[in-house]
Amino acid sequence: YGVNPAPPLSCKDTESLKNYWTYNIRTSLKNHLNPVWNIGFRGISDVPFWESFKDAPETDEKRARIIEQMLHRQIGVLKKETRTDDPEFRWTLYNENTSFVGDGLIDPPKEKNLIWVFVNDRRDHFPPESTRNFKIPDNQKYGYYYHFQFTSTGAHYAQAEGIWKMEKNLRMMDGIGKQPLSLVVFNVGNIREFLTEVSAG
């Protein structure tokens, strides 16, 4: 229908990536949305970027460096398009990001209103040890992205997680930093299995 095809995914084609981010930010602003903006760099279908970008490097150090560079590029685009030096935004530390930050391979951006959002362990509904032991700077805002359900594991037909587990998660995370949690995201999946947990949350 006369629409140009999307360019191939490439770590080097930062101009196309910037155009994509800019389009999405402008669309949100045009529709008068007021989000907590989300930055990050991953691949297709909830996987690390190196599974989707054919020119991705093969070492963790180089992969982490690309993620760090992309975060700074996104912050630049976001500040330009929102016309503010202090947008309210978050970076969700999905799987590989949690590992890279925990291993010291990514130096998270230092921004006044950037919330570092930690995620519960892969296929387990508790914060991983690396997160529980992470040294969050005293003035750093942070949050928690909590999966009630994983597609491949966990409850699917009956309630199984329990309010006690949700409370334990939030208390554990609220205690790892000097500040209280700034943001909590519940990934629910099918709501009927988690009615009491969502209500309590």
Side-chain angles (χ1 to χ4, degrees), residues 9 15 55 68-69 77 91 99 119 129 169 182 197:
L9 295 175
E15 195 60 34
D55 62 348
E68 189 175 308
Q69 290 170 346
V77 172
W91 173 37
S99 298
V119 180
E129 184 177 0
N169 264 271
S182 295
E197 293 91 337

Side-chain angles (χ1 to χ4, degrees), residues 9 17 21 38-53 66-67 70-71 74 91-98 119 122 145 147:
L9 295 175
L17 290 168
W21 301 330
N38 193 33
I39 62 170
F41 189 64
R42 301 201 80 210
I44 298 172
S45 188
D46 200 19
V47 297
F49 78 88
W50 54 86
E51 294 186 25
S52 306
F53 288 69
I66 284 181
I67 293 172
M70 293 298 180
L71 293 175
Q74 288 175 15
W91 173 37
T92 304
L93 281 73
Y94 297 111
N95 299 346
E96 67 279 3
N97 292 308
T98 297
V119 180
R122 302 159 182 81
Y145 185 108
H147 291 84

Side-chain angles (χ1 to χ4, degrees), residues 5-159:
L9 295 175
S10 169
C11 297
K12 298 181 180 70
D13 188 6
T14 56
E15 195 60 34
S16 291
L17 290 168
K18 280 185 177 180
N19 289 339
Y20 175 72
W21 301 330
T22 300
Y23 172 81
N24 282 279
I25 294 168
R26 288 179 180 175
T27 300
S28 297
L29 294 172
K30 185 173 75 173
N31 287 281
H32 309 290
L33 302 180
N34 186 27
V36 177
W37 301 97
N38 193 33
I39 62 170
F41 189 64
R42 301 201 80 210
I44 298 172
S45 188
D46 200 19
V47 297
F49 78 88
W50 54 86
E51 294 186 25
S52 306
F53 288 69
K54 292 182 179 178
D55 62 348
E58 296 185 1
T59 67
D60 284 349
E61 290 80 6
K62 291 181 178 178
R63 290 168 173 173
R65 181 68 182 141
I66 284 181
I67 293 172
E68 189 175 308
Q69 290 170 346
M70 293 298 180
L71 293 175
H72 286 286
R73 287 189 178 102
Q74 288 175 15
I75 290 169
V77 172
L78 186 57
K79 287 182 176 182
K80 178 183 176 185
E81 293 302 321
T82 59
R83 299 178 182 175
T84 175
D85 289 331
D86 295 311
E88 191 170 31
F89 56 129
R90 63 188 172 109
W91 173 37
T92 304
L93 281 73
Y94 297 111
N95 299 346
E96 67 279 3
N97 292 308
T98 297
S99 298
F100 288 166
V101 170
D103 293 340
L105 298 178
I106 291 180
D107 182 22
K110 308 298 189 293
E111 295 286 337
K112 176 183 174 183
N113 287 325
L114 175 60
I115 304 168
W116 301 354
V117 183
F118 295 89
V119 180
N120 53 288
D121 203 358
R122 302 159 182 81
R123 302 302 178 251
D124 185 18
H125 302 264
F126 279 109
E129 184 177 0
S130 61
T131 296
R132 296 194 307 270
N133 296 328
F134 192 80
K135 303 301 182 191
I136 298 176
D138 290 353
N139 61 346
Q140 178 60 53
K141 295 180 180 180
Y142 72 102
Y144 189 44
Y145 185 108
Y146 179 36
H147 291 84
F148 283 121
Q149 173 185 317
F150 289 106
T151 302
S152 58
T153 62
H156 293 286
Y157 298 105
Q159 291 190 269

